[in-house]
Amino acid sequence: MKRVRGVKGTGLDLGDPVKWAEFWADEGAKGIHVVDLDGAEAGRPVNVDVINKVIEVAKERGLWVQVAGGLREVEHLKLYPRADAYVIGSKAHKEPSFIKEVSDAVGADKVIIAIDLKGGKVSVEGWKEEIPAGLKEALDKFESYDFKGFMYTYVDTEGTMKGPDVEGVRYIRSRFPNKLIEYAGGVGSEDDVRALWSAGADVVIIGMALYTGKIRLKDLL
């Protein structure tokens, strides 16, 4: 499932995620970002079995896999023992000390903090709730914690292919020069990808543009 700005009923119903994992491996992907959309809204993992199947297939093909959506407790992360990384959003922003808890449990090198920005504010709980903090304030919360990096999603253009927030990435890189930075939202061309890399993104997560054929993965490799 690929939504536009996270809104139910929009975007594309793409069918079996396991088959897509196989497809992207064949296309030369290095990694896969898997989101439990139902889990993000429910506040707990929902699609555990199918996500673990995606992870199993991806690992067989040599892909790196990170999981997101509904990860609110340490026990939730343990439901995906073969995942390479876990993306923590809502709980991290509401209780920043949770980052230390999960880092102690699974290793800081597996912990990615999600910052989902919508209308200039941090969006949580499946993008249904807003926290009165912008990008700067969100980053401030995590300066004293040990973790691998950030996944920054610009919700305003997510799923639209209307362009990424390059300046947001540049700002995060200026604040955290040694952290991994992943970006998602609005990527619609090869030029967008190059601009994000130039701004400091290490990983660019592309959904709609790949599934609609606007970008070919092999052209980026």
Side-chain angles (χ1 to χ4, degrees):
M1 180 66 69
K2 188 73 190 75
R3 296 178 180 174
V4 177
R5 301 187 181 96
V7 178
K8 269 188 174 182
T10 64
L12 305 171
D13 184 342
L14 297 159
D16 186 356
V18 176
K19 291 187 180 301
W20 279 110
E22 295 171 340
F23 174 83
W24 292 121
D26 289 342
E27 288 291 295
K30 306 300 182 187
I32 294 180
H33 172 65
V34 186
V35 186
D36 186 348
L37 293 174
D38 297 315
E41 295 176 346
R44 57 177 174 76
V46 174
N47 297 294
V48 176
D49 290 343
V50 69
I51 289 176
N52 273 321
K53 183 60 177 176
V54 170
I55 294 171
E56 178 185 345
V57 168
K59 299 301 285 182
E60 287 173 354
R61 306 295 289 274
L63 272 64
W64 183 89
V65 188
Q66 70 177 25
V67 177
L71 303 178
R72 309 285 199 272
E73 307 293 339
V74 168
E75 293 306 312
H76 293 167
L77 280 64
K78 293 179 179 179
L79 294 172
Y80 308 111
R82 296 189 68 193
D84 295 291
Y86 305 93
V87 182
I88 312 297
S90 300
K91 187 74 174 278
H93 291 283
K94 292 182 174 182
E95 297 178 32
S97 61
F98 183 59
I99 293 302
K100 182 180 187 308
E101 187 179 346
V102 295
S103 292
D104 288 345
V106 302
D109 63 334
K110 290 189 173 185
V111 178
I112 306 289
I113 298 173
I115 298 181
D116 301 342
L117 217 63
K118 184 178 182 180
K121 301 295 181 183
V122 173
S123 186
V124 295
E125 304 298 341
W127 298 347
K128 296 184 296 183
E129 183 181 322
E130 180 184 289
I131 288 179
L135 184 56
K136 177 186 182 301
E137 293 79 13
L139 294 173
D140 288 345
K141 294 180 182 180
F142 305 112
E143 286 186 319
S144 63
Y145 294 101
D146 190 16
F147 56 95
K148 186 175 184 68
F150 293 102
M151 178 180 168
Y152 173 46
T153 300
Y154 190 58
V155 181
D156 294 333
T157 60
E158 201 276 335
T160 69
M161 300 180 285
K162 292 184 178 179
D165 180 17
V166 176
E167 291 308 311
V169 170
R170 186 171 286 116
Y171 177 69
I172 297 171
R173 176 55 70 205
S174 73
R175 292 283 306 274
F176 289 87
N178 300 314
K179 295 293 186 186
L180 178 79
I181 297 177
E182 303 177 356
Y183 176 84
V187 177
S189 68
E190 292 177 44
D191 286 343
D192 287 342
V193 176
R194 295 188 187 97
L196 288 163
W197 283 337
S198 295
D202 300 293
V203 176
V204 178
I205 296 170
I206 309 172
M208 192 68 79
L210 286 175
Y211 287 112
T212 60
K214 193 170 182 181
I215 293 177
R216 294 196 317 163
L217 181 60
K218 289 181 178 179
D219 291 337
L220 296 172
L221 301 176

